[in-house]
Amino acid sequence: MKISTSLYFDRATQQLGGVQSRLTKVQEQLSTGLQIVKPSDAPDKASLVTRLESELARQSGYQDTLKAVNVRLTAEETALKNTSDVMFRIKELAVQAANDTLGAQDRQSIALELGSLRDQILSLANSQDSNGNFLFSGSRAGEEAFSKDSNGRIIYQGDHARMKVNVGDNRQMNLNLPGSDIFTRVVRDDGKGGKVGVDFFQALDDLTQAVKTADRTKMQRGIGEIDTLQMGVSEGLGQIGADLSVVDMQTTVLDQVVLRLQTTRSDIEDLDYTEAITRMNKDQLALEAAQSSFSKISQMSLFKFLN
């Protein structure tokens, strides 16, 4: 077989290029810390990494949603805890006002405080989140939950929708609690043998009016109704507490899922530095040896031995 000078140089160039390419690849791996720098390095593994990253992005979206739900539910819980505290104070004042030893002036003072406490509850019922959405308006988040109607009575203006959000694969949870489920109505005798429903704030206003007029019968009725109104707030707190527990549990589940996916991705694409450095040193040595050999052999010529 005849080996021409041109063929020798071509073969040498190919061999040097191959060694240089392997060295460049391992240097890229070391600089990025990844085994797969570009899809062509390992198409099958690159495809798996892409699927894992897509799954991680979806789980991250669930985590972000859970954080938003947690913030909203915490705001609702705070509003209802404060409402509950105010209701206890109203009950205390109502019992005090029903005492026969109190004079008219004392009851007027109590009535003033009752009116102020009622306004405080109204403010809490119309609480908003950081985006300006009303917490207890159902799906009508842009409207106040409670406001005056044409007759000047404070009534619920939201709807009864319980919005749900996805917080996992095939997993949903409540985002809100409608005000109608918390600030409930009371049922009274209508004086004709029937029953009539009275709105939350109307019941509070009636109690205040009874204190002003020293109507002991209506004051006693109001004291009983306070317990019913308080029950609605307490049940709302219980529901929100349960939802917050779900948030905590689902957050733990998602954290475990994300950790598992990240570990799997790491096993596939993360670089073994010891092995990579060993390969780099070997390739560098091979490249230097090839360059040295090529330099010496390329200078050999029959013409050097002819006189």
Side-chain angles (χ1 to χ4, degrees):
M1 178 179 178
K2 296 182 179 180
I3 300 177
S4 67
T5 300
S6 176
L7 177 61
Y8 170 72
F9 274 89
D10 288 343
R11 289 288 178 84
T13 300
Q14 291 175 359
Q15 291 175 352
L16 288 172
V19 176
Q20 182 65 56
S21 177
R22 291 197 301 273
L23 182 59
T24 299
K25 179 179 178 179
V26 73
Q27 288 173 335
E28 288 179 344
Q29 290 175 329
L30 286 169
S31 66
T32 60
L34 301 174
Q35 294 186 64
I36 307 172
V37 179
K38 51 185 179 294
S40 59
D41 293 339
D44 56 335
K45 291 184 178 180
S47 176
L48 179 56
V49 168
T50 299
R51 290 198 297 272
L52 287 170
E53 289 178 343
S54 177
E55 181 65 21
L56 278 168
R58 188 166 75 254
Q59 298 301 325
S60 177
Y62 292 147
Q63 288 179 317
D64 291 340
T65 299
L66 272 176
K67 290 177 183 177
V69 171
N70 184 68
V71 170
R72 183 186 177 95
L73 291 178
T74 300
E76 292 179 2
E77 182 183 46
T78 300
L80 293 189
K81 281 182 176 179
N82 290 332
T83 299
S84 182
D85 292 341
V86 175
M87 292 295 293
F88 281 123
R89 177 57 179 164
I90 289 176
K91 175 71 175 292
E92 180 183 343
L93 289 172
V95 171
Q96 183 180 345
N99 193 319
D100 292 336
T101 62
L102 258 63
Q105 187 61 42
D106 295 326
R107 287 196 177 91
Q108 291 300 316
S109 297
I110 290 175
L112 286 174
E113 185 173 352
L114 287 173
S116 177
L117 293 174
R118 173 266 208 184
D119 291 341
Q120 186 175 350
I121 292 178
L122 178 59
S123 176
L124 291 168
N126 285 326
S127 296
Q128 296 172 273
D129 62 17
S130 57
N131 295 319
N133 296 318
F134 291 93
L135 298 177
F136 303 113
S137 294
S139 63
R140 299 176 182 174
E143 302 177 15
E144 286 187 335
F146 293 89
S147 61
K148 292 182 179 180
D149 64 7
S150 58
N151 297 319
R153 293 185 304 117
I154 296 176
I155 61 173
Y156 183 58
Q157 301 286 4
D159 58 25
H160 309 293
R162 288 199 178 192
M163 297 178 290
K164 294 183 178 294
V165 291
N166 294 321
V167 293
D169 294 336
N170 302 314
R171 184 72 171 92
Q172 290 186 324
M173 69 168 297
N174 294 325
L175 176 63
N176 73 310
L177 192 61
S180 55
D181 291 355
I182 303 167
F183 303 94
T184 56
R185 308 179 82 194
V186 294
V187 179
R188 293 179 185 167
D189 294 330
D190 61 3
K192 300 177 182 179
K195 300 292 183 180
V196 61
V198 179
D199 292 324
F200 184 96
F201 289 99
Q202 185 61 49
L204 294 180
D205 288 341
D206 289 347
L207 174 60
T208 301
Q209 184 62 30
V211 172
K212 285 182 179 180
T213 59
D215 188 328
R216 288 179 174 79
T217 300
K218 291 184 178 180
M219 279 193 283
Q220 291 298 332
R221 181 191 67 187
I223 291 172
E225 290 177 347
I226 289 297
D227 292 333
T228 301
L229 299 178
Q230 177 69 58
M231 186 179 300
V233 175
S234 297
E235 289 177 353
L237 272 171
Q239 179 62 59
I240 291 174
D243 289 338
L244 284 170
S245 295
V246 172
V247 169
D248 290 338
M249 290 187 291
Q250 187 64 14
T251 297
T252 299
V253 170
L254 289 180
D255 287 344
Q256 293 173 348
V257 171
V258 168
L259 178 60
R260 175 174 56 81
L261 292 172
Q262 289 175 335
T263 300
T264 302
R265 184 182 64 179
S266 177
D267 291 340
I268 295 172
E269 69 175 2
D270 283 0
L271 183 68
D272 182 341
Y273 277 91
T274 301
E275 186 271 339
I277 290 173
T278 300
R279 281 193 290 117
M280 183 183 70
N281 290 334
K282 182 182 70 174
D283 290 339
Q284 283 181 328
L285 181 61
L287 180 62
E288 291 172 359
Q291 289 173 334
S292 177
S293 298
F294 176 71
S295 176
K296 293 178 179 180
I297 294 175
S298 64
Q299 294 177 8
M300 296 177 63
S301 173
L302 181 62
F303 293 103
K304 291 185 176 180
F305 300 95
L306 296 177
N307 293 324

